[in-house]
Amino acid sequence: MVSTKSVIATKSGLQYLPKSMDDHIDSSPNQELLPLTAKVNSLDHLELGGLDVPALVEKFGSPLYILDEYTLRTASRQYRDALKKYYPGESLVLYASKAWSCLAVCAICGSEGLGIDVVSGGELYTAIRAGINPTKIYFHGNNKSTAELIFAMAMGCVIVVDNWLELKTLVALQTEKTEELQNPTKIMVRFTPGIECHTHEYIRTGHLDSKFGFDQNQLNDVFTFINQQQVLSFVGIHAHIGSQIFEVQPHQDLADVMVDAMSTAMAHNLSIQEINLGGGLGIRYTETDDPPSIENWVEMVSKAMVNACQARQLPLPKLLCEPGRSIVGPACVTAYTIGSKKQIPEIRTYISVDGGMSDNPRPITYQSIYGVVVANRLSQPTTETVTIAGKHCESGDILIKNAMLPETQAGDCLVVMATGAYNYSMASNYNRLPRPAAVLVGNQEVNIILQRETYQDLLRKDILPERIEISKN
Ligand code: LLP
């Protein structure tokens, strides 16, 4: 029998290299910890997209977000192709750009045929500037401003209506501003389907305590109202039940609830062309995370939709889903440089890096757990248990507790895995740290997609009123 001790001693960063390396078949990116192109090279360094990670950090600075184009495209295609394979009707995948909204990510998803889900004027502007066809942009949000609505309507986007105020504002705007706006505006209705997910479990309730969407029992009134409006073009219904979900059942149940709502709409003489089941498929952040593959998720959900429609003898609507995390999360890592080390005997060893909660606020916000490798010592056995601390002036700024690392020294390149989703998009300038750069790697090429912020950038919006004297003492 192998002792636990020897198993731990033989562990190294190599264990996180993707399975697909050996058999040349792409695995589902959301089931991998490292991007699909991850390899170890002759220097014992981690390589992504055919490029040496420590060398990228040397060239582009630290910390650095490194986005692997192949993994991003593979996840997008797996969603798109699985829907074509398993869903007999029309389908469209929307990338939920809240996970990471920038020109390059939106443009890559767009070039794979995906539409984009946006939740603000800023995300909408980014998607438009990335060349996304506005008819494939779906605008969400529980409190869209009038200016945001006018922007989206003028572009011809689909508006996912969340509440009564928005519905009535849309009718008023469309009636007042017929010349400026595309006519009629396409709308979907978002409602809370009574399915609540807490990552590893879910419950079904009659009513949900959620700020998003109409309550299910308001649907009759909403449909009656919409039916009377000439200026709106109703295309379908939307629901989103949660994020980082490891089970397929909640979305299968959701399909049933949605098709029920479709019958309700039809009873009001409204035809439903599209049903959007939201996003939510989970990804692997640590070895113990075990999400279903993208293909498996799409297959099960598609079948549930088909069965629900057949059971009620309804035509198949166009099926939409809007994944964010599972598209971009596994495609990116964050590389840091190791700095100071503090050993507190019998308590803990802290290793500090040159970023932290400003580039990855998820550990401090949600107690999220991440995996880590040392990119310049990939095959060295992990022998030390350390706590990886950020550099912010805040005790809670801890990136990873109890990480297993090989012996490291200052200057080593530490890579936190699966940081593509909700990292850059939630990054801040806390303690006036400039946001890191992001580079895109693929086929041994590298491009900067987000420049590193400078100190000048930090002062770009600062104004010192003239009446405040600069102290000369
Ligand atoms: N659609 C809607 C309406 C959503 O609210 C969301 C996520 C998505 C799609 C995409 O869900 P995904 O496939 O990424 O799970 N900041 C949190 C996650 C917030 C998710 C918000 N909504 C985090 O870092 O875990």
Side-chain angles (χ1 to χ4, degrees):
M1 200 180 136
V2 186
S3 79
T4 321
K5 210 173 160 199
S6 67
V7 170
I8 289 171
T10 56
K11 284 197 167 183
S12 75
L14 294 179
Q15 70 187 304
Y16 302 124
L17 292 176
K19 290 185 252 124
S20 46
M21 264 211 359
D22 308 322
D23 50 18
H24 302 285
I25 298 169
D26 287 326
S27 40
S28 192
N30 72 321
Q31 295 183 319
E32 297 290 353
L33 279 159
L34 279 168
L36 299 180
T37 65
K39 289 196 167 87
V40 58
N41 66 19
S42 56
L43 299 169
D44 197 25
H45 288 185
L46 174 66
E47 242 182 49
L48 293 176
L51 296 171
D52 182 285
V53 166
L56 287 171
V57 173
E58 185 84 10
K59 183 162 177 195
F60 295 100
S62 179
L64 185 66
Y65 295 102
I66 305 172
L67 176 64
D68 182 47
E69 185 173 346
Y70 184 76
T71 307
L72 178 59
R73 287 191 185 277
T74 303
S76 304
R77 285 176 198 164
Q78 286 182 356
Y79 268 107
R80 185 196 65 199
D81 295 347
L83 270 166
K84 284 208 185 101
K85 183 167 164 192
Y86 297 108
Y87 190 69
E90 270 187 87
S91 56
L92 178 65
V93 183
L94 307 174
Y95 163 60
S97 68
K98 69 208 78 186
W100 189 351
S101 170
C102 68
L103 292 178
V105 173
C106 287
I108 290 171
C109 292
S111 75
E112 294 297 341
L114 274 55
I116 307 278
D117 144 8
V118 301
V119 293
S120 69
E123 285 185 2
L124 170 57
Y125 180 70
T126 307
I128 299 269
R129 291 293 301 268
I132 307 300
N133 178 343
T135 61
K136 285 165 88 176
I137 300 178
Y138 285 66
F139 188 21
H140 292 272
N142 62 308
N143 195 21
K144 306 172 184 85
S145 70
T146 304
E148 285 177 321
L149 287 174
I150 292 174
F151 180 22
M153 291 163 93
M155 297 309 303
C157 305
V158 182
I159 308 220
V160 184
V161 182
D162 190 272
N163 52 62
W164 281 112
L165 175 67
E166 185 182 338
L167 193 52
K168 290 180 179 168
T169 307
L170 285 175
V171 173
L173 287 172
Q174 192 78 60
T175 316
E176 284 161 24
K177 297 186 182 262
T178 30
E179 264 143 54
E180 289 165 53
L181 305 178
Q182 309 259 345
N183 202 8
T185 293
K186 281 194 175 168
I187 61 160
M188 296 190 89
V189 167
R190 175 172 185 169
F191 73 101
T192 43
I195 295 171
E196 196 173 6
C197 294
H198 306 278
T199 304
H200 294 239
E201 47 177 312
Y202 76 104
I203 47 169
R204 295 198 55 180
T205 60
H207 299 273
L208 277 191
D209 182 3
S210 161
K211 69 172 180 171
F212 297 108
F214 291 96
D215 206 87
Q216 225 171 332
N217 65 8
Q218 292 179 309
L219 279 182
N220 273 310
D221 292 345
V222 172
F223 291 147
T224 306
F225 179 86
I226 290 175
N227 199 21
Q228 290 157 2
Q229 312 307 320
Q230 305 298 319
V231 291
L232 300 178
S233 160
F234 174 73
V235 294
I237 45 178
H238 167 279
H240 170 80
I241 55 176
S243 199
Q244 185 61 355
I245 301 170
F246 284 0
E247 297 155 304
V248 185
Q249 192 63 47
H251 282 95
Q252 291 176 298
D253 288 354
L254 177 62
D256 241 2
V257 176
M258 297 301 271
V259 176
D260 268 343
M262 180 166 162
S263 312
T264 311
M266 287 171 94
H268 289 266
N269 287 326
L270 289 174
S271 80
I272 298 242
Q273 294 149 40
E274 301 184 0
I275 285 187
N276 184 336
L277 298 179
L281 174 59
I283 70 170
R284 198 157 192 228
Y285 283 108
T286 65
E287 285 157 273
T288 51
D289 288 341
D290 189 19
S293 70
I294 292 175
E295 175 160 350
N296 184 247
W297 185 89
V298 171
E299 179 184 358
M300 304 308 277
V301 169
S302 299
K303 287 183 175 162
M305 273 296 295
V306 172
N307 289 342
C309 288
Q310 276 173 357
R312 294 165 186 79
Q313 297 188 326
L314 293 174
L316 286 184
K318 180 167 174 177
L319 179 58
L320 275 66
C321 62
E322 48 192 21
R325 191 190 308 270
S326 51
I327 294 233
V328 77
C332 182
V333 302
T334 310
Y336 301 92
T337 302
I338 289 181
S340 58
K341 186 173 189 173
K342 175 176 178 180
Q343 278 167 311
I344 312 173
E346 280 152 56
I347 297 190
R348 197 183 296 285
T349 298
Y350 286 97
I351 284 185
S352 294
V353 294
D354 49 357
M357 60 185 282
S358 58
D359 59 77
N360 184 357
R362 298 193 70 257
I364 197 166
T365 314
Y366 315 113
Q367 292 71 53
S368 307
I369 301 174
Y370 281 87
V372 71
V373 295
V374 179
N376 57 317
R377 303 174 189 278
L378 206 60
S379 69
Q380 285 186 22
T382 52
T383 49
E384 295 191 324
T385 306
V386 299
T387 288
I388 297 167
K391 65 176 280 157
H392 291 276
C393 200
E394 179 131 348
S395 304
D397 178 28
I398 300 296
L399 280 176
I400 304 170
K401 279 187 192 141
N402 302 326
M404 288 297 294
L405 294 188
E407 215 175 301
T408 56
Q409 59 189 51
D412 280 352
C413 177
L414 186 118
V415 159
V416 176
M417 303 181 280
T419 56
Y422 306 108
N423 274 225
Y424 196 93
S425 64
M426 289 174 48
S428 75
N429 289 124
Y430 184 43
N431 293 154
R432 288 239 142 166
L433 259 70
R435 284 186 185 79
V439 293
L440 180 72
V441 294
N443 284 329
Q444 294 174 318
E445 276 185 42
V446 56
N447 303 93
I448 296 184
I449 55 169
L450 285 155
Q451 283 181 337
R452 184 175 303 281
E453 288 178 345
T454 62
Y455 292 151
Q456 289 75 30
D457 289 330
L458 296 175
L459 292 189
R460 204 155 48 94
K461 298 291 179 191
D462 270 40
I463 296 171
L464 187 61
E466 263 172 41
R467 64 187 177 79
I468 310 287
E469 284 169 34
I470 294 187
S471 163
K472 304 252 161 42
N473 314 326

